[in-house]
Amino acid sequence: MRRRLDFLRRLRRAEDCGLPFQQNPRYSWLRGLSLAVVVPLTASAMAGAPEPAGLAASRTDLTPEDLARVIAITRPTKDFSKPEQFEPMQGGAGTSRKDANKDAFSQSSANITFEEEGTFKLGNALFRKNWVSSPSSTQASDGLGPLFNERACQNCHLKDGRGRPPEGDSGTTSMFLRLARQASTDEERAALAARKVLNFPDPVYGSQLQDLAVPGLRGEGRMRVDYQEQKVTLPDGTVVWLRKPSYSVDDLANGPLDPHTTLSPRMTPPMIGLGLVEQIAPADILAHADPDDRNSDGISGKPNIVRDGQSGELTLGRFGWKAQTPSIRQQAADAFAGDIGISTPEVPNHWGDCTAAEKTCLAMPNGVQERLGPVEAPPPVMDLVTFYSQNLAVPARRDLDEPDVLAGKKLFYDMGCISCHTPKFVTRRGTPNKAQAFQLIWPYSDFLLHDMGPGLADGQAVGEATGSEWRTPPLWGSGLTQTVNGNSFFLHDGRARTLAEAILWHGGEGQKARDRFAAADAADRDALVKFLESL
């Protein structure tokens, strides 16, 4: 193993750790077809619209030689007797090889420069920074709220990792409720059709429930989670208890929610590998989409086509539980506004998510400082936080040559899990930061929307995503959740307390794979979980 890692380290300088265009038996019908044909099929809702710049139909960054290498290296393996070439480095040349301890998700990309390491550390400081209410003597830090969920990014993304649902006195720091309703007027329906909006907020409480507030103001309400234990007996007699949550809001400050408002719990996801995901070519993600299930395998997968907040152009959503956000910078700006109540150039709302109905909130002072510009978090702050978020490294794989891990990997493939959890991609060559360029990465996600059945449905539509559709989450880092965050809560609302529970919650397009897992003997189920724990 050490010799393999040393070899990969030498390859890093030559940028030979990466190579794109995903090949998968499930997509054999695509072979020989131009991606120019595939894109209209995968974005059927866009019929009649010109091709968006952010949805390139093919890759122009690859030579024919590159493409041949890419096809070969990204083809799903059939040999499970040993690890694949480059497999230890699941985040490409930027993979962190530091100890797998509680700081495993907080390491910088291993291939950034010395100067960039300094930028990363400055971004880390801002990510951890606690904002304060206005007015304040610490003028570079005021502007919090007036309504908010937390005072710092790090307080939600605990150790840059996964959040947790509220339990006992733990509060809701790393999980919140999205509030949304569907269109109710012709004007609103037209805005949805034109993709000017993803959905519509509650008329009083906005798009997110904020349970905290600055002095002199009351929080909007408090999330309540009630669990019902469900007994599941597997074919071999093993009994598993799944907890089914239901959500409501207590102590509403301004009267009831709109009767059409839906509640969607969202647990904060890990921050690792985001910069690599951002640089996967749109054509490579779209090549996996099959919204009409043309190959009749029961797996569809569709992109969430959204508008870029800055350019206004249609592009591919790839971040968020419903793939509703196209870029890391936009994700950061939305979090500043919704979670902390801080305005940015991208979302210049000085009062965060306060609505016109919350007049007391809008009467509160904001933190804009004339000498720093017209927003509370000016461009340099966004530059640093974005760079930090783009360069949190994916940890190296562990124990991947152990017999039970290799056996579990084969089961993961044989059970059809890779139909959604696509093992490998290669990033684009012409990336803004060289560290993310032309890297072979192993996120185990297709970054598309899939109907996961009624058991996981939240009833909340977000852009192209229906109330039962979710983006396939990347699996890298799953095995370090307990180490980093001290818990093993999975899925969008943390209802699953183990990886096995998470699998057993799969329905809809994931039902067949779930049933194969349930029908396997205990040793095989354990082996598959061991494989996931090695990621």
Side-chain angles (χ1 to χ4, degrees):
M1 177 66 70
R2 185 178 298 275
R3 287 195 299 271
R4 185 182 294 113
L5 290 175
D6 288 340
F7 174 66
L8 294 175
R9 193 176 294 115
R10 291 195 300 272
L11 284 179
R12 200 178 81 195
R13 291 184 181 176
E15 294 185 35
D16 213 8
C17 266
L19 292 160
F21 196 94
Q22 200 71 5
Q23 293 287 311
N24 186 307
R26 175 183 158 225
Y27 307 103
S28 57
W29 65 277
L30 291 176
R31 292 174 189 157
L33 290 179
S34 165
L35 282 176
V37 176
V38 175
V39 168
L41 290 174
T42 60
S44 56
M46 293 163 46
E51 179 182 299
L55 293 172
S58 60
R59 294 192 62 163
T60 59
D61 60 323
L62 301 178
T63 65
E65 293 77 14
D66 281 343
L67 182 59
R69 293 169 64 204
V70 163
I71 291 173
I73 204 166
T74 57
R75 185 176 293 118
T77 186
K78 295 181 180 180
D79 180 5
F80 300 96
S81 65
K82 61 183 183 297
E84 297 175 65
Q85 188 180 27
F86 308 127
E87 192 172 2
M89 307 287 284
Q90 61 179 340
T95 300
S96 169
R97 293 174 293 277
K98 295 190 176 181
D99 292 342
N101 56 27
K102 64 181 181 180
D103 295 319
F105 292 168
S106 300
Q107 306 302 325
S108 60
S109 300
N111 58 343
I112 60 175
T113 66
F114 179 79
E115 290 78 10
E116 287 173 333
E117 182 68 30
T119 303
F120 177 86
K121 290 178 178 176
L122 288 172
N124 184 21
L126 289 169
F127 199 78
R128 293 171 176 271
K129 171 181 177 176
N130 280 309
W131 295 79
V132 298
S133 57
S134 305
S136 169
S137 59
T138 56
Q139 292 185 355
S141 296
D142 65 349
L144 175 68
L147 295 167
F148 60 97
N149 294 104
E150 253 305 336
R151 296 176 58 199
C153 305
Q154 184 74 209
N155 294 350
C156 291
H157 296 277
L158 310 173
K159 301 292 290 183
D160 302 297
R162 197 180 302 272
R164 60 177 300 154
E167 287 193 332
D169 297 328
S170 66
T172 59
T173 296
S174 52
M175 193 168 106
F176 54 81
L177 287 175
R178 283 281 172 86
L179 312 176
R181 59 177 178 81
Q182 276 289 60
S184 60
T185 66
D186 288 343
E187 183 181 4
E188 289 181 344
R189 283 185 280 273
L192 276 177
R195 292 182 173 80
K196 294 180 179 178
V197 295
L198 296 170
N199 50 32
F200 296 92
D202 182 86
V204 173
Y205 294 97
S207 61
Q208 187 167 312
L209 184 75
Q210 279 94 20
D211 57 340
L212 301 175
V214 299
L217 190 65
R218 179 183 168 190
E220 292 180 313
R222 179 170 52 85
M223 179 198 308
R224 177 173 175 173
V225 188
D226 294 300
Y227 291 105
Q228 179 183 0
E229 293 286 340
Q230 295 185 337
K231 181 180 179 180
V232 177
T233 303
L234 305 184
D236 66 357
T238 300
V239 173
V240 180
W241 290 92
L242 303 181
R243 58 178 191 173
K244 180 180 180 180
S246 60
Y247 296 91
S248 57
V249 182
D250 291 336
D251 303 324
L252 282 165
N254 300 300
L257 293 163
D258 185 278
H260 299 103
T261 294
T262 56
L263 306 178
S264 180
R266 305 290 177 86
M267 193 171 73
T268 51
M271 297 287 294
I272 57 173
L274 298 183
L276 295 167
V277 173
E278 192 170 42
Q279 296 307 323
I280 298 173
D284 288 351
I285 294 176
L286 293 171
H288 290 271
D290 185 15
D292 301 318
D293 194 17
R294 293 167 63 88
N295 60 354
S296 301
D297 67 347
I299 308 294
S300 298
K302 70 180 187 184
N304 202 351
I305 308 302
V306 300
R307 286 204 181 273
D308 182 276
Q310 300 307 297
S311 69
E313 295 182 350
L314 292 176
T315 188
L316 183 67
R318 59 182 79 199
F319 299 107
W321 283 105
K322 299 227 175 190
Q324 71 271 18
T325 309
S327 70
I328 295 170
R329 193 180 188 96
Q330 187 64 49
Q331 183 89 337
D334 291 343
F336 265 123
D339 302 347
I340 310 178
I342 297 292
S343 60
T344 62
E346 291 74 18
V347 185
N349 300 339
H350 309 320
W351 291 271
D353 193 39
C354 295
T355 69
E358 296 175 303
K359 299 186 184 303
T360 305
C361 179
L362 295 176
M364 291 287 180
N366 63 62
V368 174
Q369 307 294 330
E370 185 176 346
R371 62 187 178 85
L372 299 176
V375 292
E376 294 162 323
V381 170
M382 287 300 296
D383 292 343
L384 292 167
V385 170
T386 300
F387 185 86
Y388 174 74
S389 302
Q390 289 170 333
N391 285 283
L392 282 161
V394 180
R397 288 281 302 280
R398 303 155 312 286
D399 305 323
L400 72 171
D401 53 357
E402 294 291 329
D404 53 353
V405 172
L406 290 168
K409 179 181 176 182
K410 184 177 188 301
L411 289 163
F412 188 83
Y413 279 56
D414 290 347
M415 289 180 183
C417 303
I418 65 168
S419 294
C420 299
H421 291 281
T422 304
K424 294 174 278 187
F425 284 96
V426 175
T427 58
R428 294 178 281 202
R429 275 200 178 277
T431 59
N433 189 323
K434 186 178 179 182
Q436 281 94 42
F438 205 50
Q439 298 297 311
L440 173 64
I441 61 174
W442 307 65
Y444 284 93
S445 171
D446 60 7
F447 304 99
L448 296 171
L449 298 170
H450 294 274
D451 189 327
M452 297 304 294
L456 291 178
D458 66 347
Q460 189 171 110
V462 183
E464 293 291 310
T466 68
S468 60
E469 289 179 328
W470 300 94
R471 183 197 74 151
T472 306
L475 296 179
W476 50 19
S478 295
L480 289 173
T481 300
Q482 180 68 45
T483 300
V484 173
N485 294 126
N487 64 70
S488 295
F489 296 116
F490 297 99
L491 301 178
H492 67 281
D493 56 3
R495 70 177 68 187
R497 294 159 291 192
T498 66
L499 288 164
E501 285 186 24
I503 296 170
L504 292 173
W505 268 110
H506 282 48
E509 295 177 45
Q511 186 72 45
K512 290 181 181 178
R514 177 263 180 215
D515 290 348
R516 293 178 187 126
F517 174 79
D521 60 40
D524 283 348
R525 292 197 302 270
D526 290 344
L528 191 146
V529 170
K530 284 286 187 184
F531 164 67
L532 295 176
E533 289 174 344
S534 76
L535 298 177

